[in-house]
Every structure is written in C-alpha cells, then in structure tokens.
Amino acid sequence: MSHAVAITGIGVLSGFGIGTEPFWEGLVAGRSAIGALPGGPGRRGAVVPPIELRAFARTPAARRIDRVSLLTLAASRLALADAGLAPESFEPARTALALGSAFGNVAETVDFLDRLIARGAGNAFVFPNLVMNAPLSYASIELVIRGPSLMVTEQEATGEAAVLAGAELIAGGAADVCLAGAADELHAVLHDILRDGGALAAETPRPLDAAADGPCPGEGAALLVLEPMARARARGARVYARLVPHAGFGVPAPVHGWPQDPGPIADGLRSLVADADLVVAGASGAPARDRVEAAALARARGERRVPVTAPRGALGDFGSAGALGVAVAALAIANGIVPPTTGLLGTPRAGLDVVGGGARRQPIGAAVVDGLARGGICRPVRLEAA
Amino acid sequence: MPAAVAITGLGAITGLGGDVAALATGLREGRCAIARLTAFPYRGRCDLAAQVPDAEAGSHGDRLPPATERRLSHADRMALAAATEACRDAGLDAPSRCTAAVYVGATTGGMRETEEAYRRFRGGQDARFRLSRLLGTPLSTAATVVSQALGLFGPRSTLSTACSSSALALAAAAEAVAGGRAPVALAIGTDQLCRVTYAGFDALQALDPSPCRPFDRERMGLSLGEGAAALVVENVDHARARGARLRALLLGHGSSNDAHHVTAPHPDGAGARVALEAALAAARVPPAAVDYVNAHGSGTRQNDAVEVGVLRTVFGARLGRVAVSSSKSQVGHCLGAAGAIEALITVIALEQGFLPPTVNLRHPEPTWDDLDLVATAGRRAPIAVAVSSSYGFGGHNVTLVLARPDAL
C-alpha cells in the first residue's frame, strides 16, 4: 500500500531572511538576496541573517548547537508552525526526520582543524557537532522525534534527495508526519576556495543565460512537513501540493564534474516533465552545469513550451538549495505564481522558456524540480496540485 | 513490510586484508588488526588503529581517467575495491549493473586528503587552497566513483548517520529492491582514518590506549579502524531466476532515534532496544530463534554496559544461549563503514557456521558471566539466524536481522 504524500508546512531561511514570507516575496519581486559578505571586500554571497537561538531552541543540549543544525531546527519549527502542528502533539515513534546537508558543519570543522594544527589536539566540545548527522541529533532532541530518521548528502541535489527520502517514509507508511529538507552554511573558507579556483561569477550570476560566467555562493535551509494525504485532509490541514515519490537515477558523468551528454538525463526526466507546467531548475550560472541542464530540459519537454525558473540566481548556489527549490515549486502551485529568474540578460540557453523580468501568473497543475548534481546524480522531485 | 531479500555478493577491504577471503581467514585465526597508527603523524593519548595500507586499496586506472584516479581519496579507493569484488562475486554482468542502485554509508569522505591540503595552505606551503583538492571531500563522491567506474546507473544515495551509516545504507538497499525501485542494489560502507575523527575521539577520551577490549572489565574505549564493505542485495526470486548463489538473507531491519544526547547512548538503551525489537518484528523472528549477535560492542564503558542491558531485556533468560561478539576487537571501529563490514562478517559467520571472536577479551565483567561472549577465539557452531547492531553518535540506531538462505 502506498499513501499519497501531502506537503502541509513550509519553513525557509534564506538570504532574504528568516521565514517563508520574506523568501517568497523576495523571489516573486525578482530581487536578489546576494550581498557583500563580512570579512573583507570581494566576497559576495547570499547569507541568512543572524538567528536568535532562544527563538528556536528549548533544551540545554542546544547551547552547543552548530549553525547548520540551528538552520535545520529553525526551519523545522517554522514548517511545523506553518502546518499547524505542535511538537507536543507528536507520537515520537511515528514521527520521522529526513534531513540533508551537502557540506555539513564547515565553520566548526575549520576551527577544529586550526586548533589541531596549532596545538596538536582536538576539541572535545566541538567534535560531536562535526558529524554529518548533528542536525538530526539536535532536531530529534529538541522536537522529541524517535521514528525513522536519516541524513543524506548528495552534492547539489542534497535538498531534493532529503525531500524524496521523506516522501518515501510517508508513502510507505513508516511515519504519520515527516520533517524533510536540508541546510547548508556558507563559510569564508569555502567562498575563497571557490573564488580562487575561478568557480564564481565575476559579478551577477545569470542562470540559464548563455553569457553566464559562474554562480554566486549562498546558504539557507528549507524544511517541509509531509503527511499522508488522508491524514492531512482529516485534520483539515492546508495542503500546498502533492509530492510524488521518485527513486532517482544516475547518468554517465565525470566523477568530479557535470555530465556532458544531456540524452540520458532527458530520458530520465521525460515522463516527469512531459505534462508539467513549471520546471524549477537547479541552474546556477555555472556554464558546465547550465549547458547540460538546459539541453536536457529542452529534449525532455519535446514540443511543449514549459516555463522554467532558476532560483539559485537570487538565493545563491549551495548543496541544499534544491530544498528551497521544492518550496518554490509548492508555493508556485499553491499561489499560481512563477517567480522570475534573476540575472537573465540575453537569450536563454537551448531556447527554453525561462521566466525572466517579472513574475508570471498562471495555474500550475504540476511542477518539477530537476535535481541534478555533479557526478551524474539525478534526484527529480515532482509536485502536483492537490 | 517488505519480504526478505537475498545477499548475493560480498566485497571487503579491512585491516585484516584486501578481500573477503583475507577477512574470513583473519576472523578464523582470531587476528587483531589494531596496531601503530601510521596513516598520519599524531601525538596524543593513543596511537593505535586498524589500518588499510594505501597499496591494498589499489589503483583503478583501468576504469577511470588518470586525472580522476589521481584525485580519489583512500575512502573512494576502498569503496571501489569492495564494490568491484562484490559485483564479481555476485556475477553481475554489465547489463544487470546498469540498472543497479548504489547506497553508501560514510562519515568523513575524503577528509584526510582535505586536512592535508588545508594544513599546507595554513602553513604557507601552498599559496592557496586548491579547489581540485576539495573535489574528493563530499561524502557522496564514493557512491559516484563506484557508479561511474562500474556502470551502475540506478538510484544512488549517500547516507550519513555516524556509526550506523552503512547499516542504514544496507536497510535502504533492501527497501529499494523490495519496493521495486531497482532490481539489484549495492550497499556499501566506507570510511578512512582521518585527523578529525582520531583527534576528536581522543579528546573525548574515548580511545583505549591498548587494542580495544569490548565487554572486558578493563575496557577503556574504542580503537579506530578503516575499511570498506559492499553487499549485493536483490529479491530472492530475482536472484534465483538469474542463477545467483544466495549467500544469506536479510530478513528485516529496524532503526530508531534516542532523541536523548548528542554523544551518549540513552542510559536505558531505549532507542537500541526499539531498533532491535523492530528489526525482529520486521523479520518475523522471535527472540528465541536468534543464535548469534554481532554486537555494536565499541569497547567504551558506557556502550557495552547499555548494550548488554538491552540484550538482557530482549533475550531474557535465554541470553546465555545466544553467542555475542564484537568484531571491532579485530578490525577496529570503522565508523561509517562499521555497519556494512559487520553485516558482512555476520554473513560469513552464517555461511561458515563459525562464531567470530571478541579478541582481547580476557577479563569479562563478572556480572556478565552468564553471557557467551566468544572470548579470545572463535569457534564452530551451526547458526541460522543472526543480528547485527550499529549505534551512532546523535543517538541513531540500526539493527539488521540476517539468516542462512535455508532459513526461508
């Protein structure tokens, strides 16, 4: 037996601020969340404003929480409030966590290594936070969740992978409620490695524009509340959209790079995209990525013109951005609005119908977040109007 | 609940040797792979580890471009070596590999190489931190290396829940084939020793200055190890239809979350107990049918006491007739790889009718003298059903129930 999966809550922290409202308003207005980073000129990125710990954490354990875990916890609480669910109402064993992070706790790993290099010793207080599943640990303690839980990490498709893992838990009947989503932080060291490696845009990132010269880094978190559709309807919850489980697939690609042949990606996406009214692309302005993604989408959609939007232009590029992409798709379906892609100058790649300039109002019956990552990972997420 | 799935291929690279045969020999001989740490210079309270020499992880230039091969981390090389052996063992040809899924459990990826690049950058030996040195850092790289080198293009996912990571990967692989998402799935655990984990566990005073002694009254902590294991999983009918040898069955799995503490297990073992009971229920196996428990058995004072308490609760008066041992005494605690390595060891135990030992266990806790801890040396015993448990930082617990194929 398989349950239909409902999205009943959304919690987002992004460069636009803390909360889903500033996120959606910023995107629909066509603004960019990218600004100057602290720590010297020349660093640009989309960063989440400081988060008040006490607004989101209740237990003594959280006094040592790291930033990625706090981003996850804050987005979880926002999503639960949005869904009208109090953590106290959970049955702990029937509540699940499907979380993700591409790079995990970068800030404290850098601190830990600096101390190790300088003094030859590790820091016992910081070490427990360095495991990739620290957000899982803090969220489970704070929210008292004891059901199935997992932490995935899938490069640029981490957000999509986490959401899909959560969808599987709900569809398979393993839980009544699942918090699913992902978080990543932007750290100066990470920014500088990307910059020095020539991997960043000189100025504005221009996703899906043939003139793009690179992405701009960002950070953020998005968590969704997933429930069986019947349960959501029975409690009168607002349902943003239905989430369609998908196992994902792999395509030939260089281990450390983007696939070169769009054919196998198009083959895998075709049945999902064929009748979709919107594609939320992962395109970031990185030429190698955007080129193959645009070509694959053009082949997968066939003769139909499917509107495409690429929120990494406004939100910055990070591994978990796809979780925010799923939030974009859900909000687009619920509101009948497609937010525009920022930075678009000239002709979109591969003749795609990229929504630029202003937001587009249209009914959306189905939307696909394409979920591509380097190394040939494909984790597409399809959402349908409920 | 999905039906039992078959395990049809095994691959392993551990401190006991570069393949499954070497591991099986090491288990039989009761060897301990824990020795002086040489993977990187380190001065602390402890200087022991169960290592896999670089040469043993092999070069893979025949299947990957030279520039890619050079950038593989030790963890990636070990994963590929184990996966290659497992696919060969299962007799998977190129067409059946093409639709196969890959589920990897890992905790540190290419951290050792990243640490070295970072140290050179901070020390001024390198003017900048090269992006190319960071490419092997992400945990998902091992899954991608295996997928691209062996041509596995089904679903692919990397799970990271600390020391239960690859037990969870094996559970995910079983669900994927049982749920029809892939005809065959490869479950892999891989982790390499690195400074962050070594210095971290040392700072927590969790490392035993002697080779670890799980369940010993003088135990002082764990010994870190490294390695990789790969298990080919498929539906029983699928395996039989293609004439594959069923090496074992994965009857069921259970997982839980303590929601208690970032590092310490729940004092009552509440989460560990839930995982064990859920796994037995999913497997439709009563506790009385279990012959052997390959314990988490990390060798820390807290873990072993909590774990014995859980076993006592679940198996009751029958516990004395269930053999319990910890393979970490031989291959070290391989963190993200531990779940897959220990599940694989459990398969060997079922297949060969051999109880692997808890070596270094010379002074069992007096209050545990009713337990059969398979101290010092392994022994022959016909076992049909076995359990393997993995408990991780963050309170994440996974238990697997495995059986001989004739248990169906």
Side-chain angles (χ1 to χ4, degrees):
Chain A
M1 191 181 72
S2 180
H3 300 276
V5 182
I7 299 174
T8 58
I10 301 175
V12 179
L13 289 88
S14 69
F16 287 117
I18 296 165
T20 309
E21 293 75 17
F23 163 74
W24 186 239
E25 283 167 20
L27 286 177
V28 171
R31 293 203 306 271
S32 168
I34 293 164
L37 294 185
R43 284 189 186 139
R44 280 160 53 75
V47 292
V48 176
I51 309 163
E52 176 70 39
L53 175 68
R54 276 174 302 181
F56 298 104
R58 315 265 190 273
T59 67
R63 283 196 294 260
R64 291 202 189 282
I65 198 169
D66 62 281
R67 192 145 175 282
V68 175
S69 297
L70 182 55
L71 283 164
T72 305
L73 176 61
S76 299
R77 289 212 188 266
L78 292 172
L80 289 169
D82 185 46
L85 288 174
E88 300 73 42
S89 71
F90 292 158
E91 191 184 327
R94 291 289 302 165
T95 309
L97 285 166
L99 305 181
S101 183
F103 278 103
N105 184 353
V106 178
E108 289 183 331
T109 302
V110 167
D111 292 347
F112 188 94
L113 282 174
D114 284 342
R115 180 182 152 120
L116 187 56
I117 292 166
R119 300 201 219 164
N123 181 340
F125 295 109
V126 167
F127 178 59
N129 282 357
L130 305 188
V131 294
M132 189 57 97
N133 58 315
L136 202 59
S137 173
Y138 283 111
S140 70
I141 293 169
E142 277 282 327
L143 304 170
V144 194
I145 292 175
R146 297 205 167 95
S149 65
L150 53 89
M151 188 86 195
V152 296
T153 176
E154 314 271 321
Q155 304 250 42
E156 292 83 355
T158 295
E160 293 89 335
V163 169
L164 289 167
E168 248 165 46
L169 292 173
I170 294 294
D176 298 329
V177 177
C178 179
L179 276 161
D184 269 298
E185 67 176 338
L186 175 57
H187 188 274
V189 165
L190 190 58
H191 175 280
D192 292 359
I193 293 167
L194 294 168
R195 181 195 59 198
D196 296 349
L200 297 182
E203 290 176 9
T204 306
R206 306 188 185 287
L208 297 174
D209 190 302
D213 64 344
C216 182
E219 65 175 10
L223 266 290
L224 307 177
V225 175
L226 308 180
E227 299 174 65
M229 185 67 76
R231 184 183 189 274
R233 296 282 190 224
R235 71 175 185 91
R238 170 192 45 194
V239 176
Y240 285 96
R242 191 166 86 93
L243 180 54
V244 183
H246 193 286
F249 58 98
V251 297
V255 164
H256 302 113
W258 292 93
Q260 273 134 30
D261 180 1
I265 304 171
D267 291 344
L269 291 179
R270 190 163 290 118
S271 64
L272 300 171
V273 170
D275 64 343
D277 306 301
L278 171 66
V279 170
V280 179
S284 62
R289 169 187 190 133
D290 291 14
R291 195 179 302 123
V292 72
E293 186 174 3
L297 288 174
R299 287 200 204 180
R301 78 186 159 135
E303 296 301 307
R304 285 179 70 243
R305 280 179 70 77
V306 183
V308 179
T309 189
R312 272 179 164 93
L315 301 170
D317 186 19
F318 52 102
S320 292
L324 284 73
V326 178
V328 168
L331 290 162
I333 288 175
N335 295 301
I337 299 176
V338 179
T341 303
T342 60
L344 199 65
L345 273 183
T347 315
R349 288 183 187 271
L352 292 178
D353 176 17
V354 179
V355 178
R360 198 182 284 179
R361 286 187 178 278
Q362 62 168 81
I364 301 164
V368 173
V369 184
D370 61 15
L372 304 186
R374 71 180 70 223
I377 298 170
C378 304
R379 306 304 306 268
V381 183
R382 181 178 160 104
L383 285 76
E384 296 173 357
Chain B
M1 194 59 214
V5 297
I7 293 170
T8 56
L10 304 177
I13 175 163
T14 66
L16 288 175
D19 56 21
V20 173
L23 172 60
T25 304
L27 294 172
R28 213 162 39 239
E29 294 173 352
R31 276 173 49 216
C32 174
I34 300 161
R36 250 323 272 291
L37 170 73
T38 56
F40 43 82
Y42 179 76
R43 273 196 222 162
R45 295 182 187 86
C46 175
D47 64 349
L48 298 174
Q51 300 176 116
V52 173
D54 287 349
E56 210 143 76
S59 62
H60 304 276
D62 49 335
R63 283 176 305 221
L64 291 167
T68 303
E69 211 280 337
R70 275 200 308 277
R71 287 173 180 166
L72 296 185
S73 69
H74 189 50
D76 294 341
R77 287 176 201 281
M78 292 191 296
L80 185 49
T84 304
E85 185 188 8
C87 286
R88 197 186 316 119
D89 182 44
L92 289 180
D93 57 8
S96 37
R97 288 203 303 272
C98 193
T99 53
V102 181
Y103 292 89
V104 172
T107 68
T108 55
M111 182 56 87
R112 184 151 98 212
E113 292 77 6
T114 306
E115 288 163 348
E116 182 57 23
Y118 186 73
R119 197 184 58 77
R120 292 178 61 85
F121 163 66
R122 276 289 192 239
Q125 289 154 283
D126 286 343
R128 61 189 176 85
F129 195 156
R130 289 172 195 274
L131 184 53
S132 62
R133 306 246 192 225
L134 202 69
L135 292 173
T137 308
L139 299 188
S140 52
T141 308
T144 291
V145 166
V146 168
S147 163
Q148 298 299 344
L150 301 177
L152 308 164
F153 296 120
R156 192 192 312 172
S157 193
T158 300
L159 297 145
S160 190
T161 53
C163 309
S164 63
S165 298
S166 58
L168 191 62
L170 191 49
E175 297 218 342
V177 298
R181 295 190 283 279
V184 175
L186 201 56
I188 301 169
T190 187
D191 251 338
Q192 62 181 348
L193 289 159
C194 67
R195 294 162 181 82
V196 166
T197 41
Y198 204 94
F201 278 108
D202 198 14
L204 286 173
Q205 305 191 26
L207 299 181
D208 195 325
S210 305
C212 72
R213 298 160 276 182
F215 307 114
D216 195 289
R217 67 166 189 252
E218 287 166 16
R219 69 188 184 280
M220 291 177 69
L222 48 94
S223 295
L224 288 169
E226 63 183 354
L231 299 94
V232 174
V233 174
E234 55 191 305
N235 284 321
V236 173
D237 293 345
H238 186 272
R240 285 194 174 131
R242 69 179 188 89
R245 175 162 68 119
L246 272 58
R247 303 201 59 166
L249 300 174
L250 178 52
L251 294 181
H253 59 84
S255 71
S256 71
N257 211 313
D258 283 353
H260 169 70
H261 192 271
V262 179
T263 55
H266 194 286
D268 307 334
R273 181 181 165 185
V274 167
L276 174 53
E277 289 178 337
L280 291 171
R284 297 195 183 93
V285 165
V290 175
D291 302 306
Y292 169 58
V293 173
N294 188 286
H296 180 63
S298 65
T300 65
R301 297 214 66 83
Q302 213 173 3
N303 173 81
D304 295 3
V306 169
E307 192 168 9
V308 167
V310 169
L311 294 175
R312 215 180 272 292
T313 308
V314 174
F315 293 104
R318 204 182 161 275
L319 182 57
R321 285 188 290 164
V322 182
V324 178
S325 68
S326 168
S327 301
K328 290 184 175 74
S329 62
Q330 292 191 270
V331 297
H333 190 342
C334 299
L335 305 176
I341 290 174
E342 291 165 23
L344 189 146
I345 288 172
T346 307
V347 172
I348 294 174
L350 289 162
E351 209 166 44
Q352 303 193 350
F354 175 80
L355 295 169
T358 310
V359 301
N360 312 324
L361 170 53
R362 293 185 190 90
H363 315 96
E365 285 275 2
T367 50
W368 301 344
D369 60 1
D370 56 327
L371 267 75
D372 174 8
L373 294 165
V374 200
T376 315
R379 64 170 192 271
R380 302 205 64 79
I383 52 173
V385 178
V387 157
S388 175
S389 287
S390 299
Y391 309 136
F393 262 22
H396 196 274
N397 314 296
V398 179
T399 294
L400 306 166
V401 181
L402 296 139
R404 263 196 340 237
D406 58 8
L408 255 192

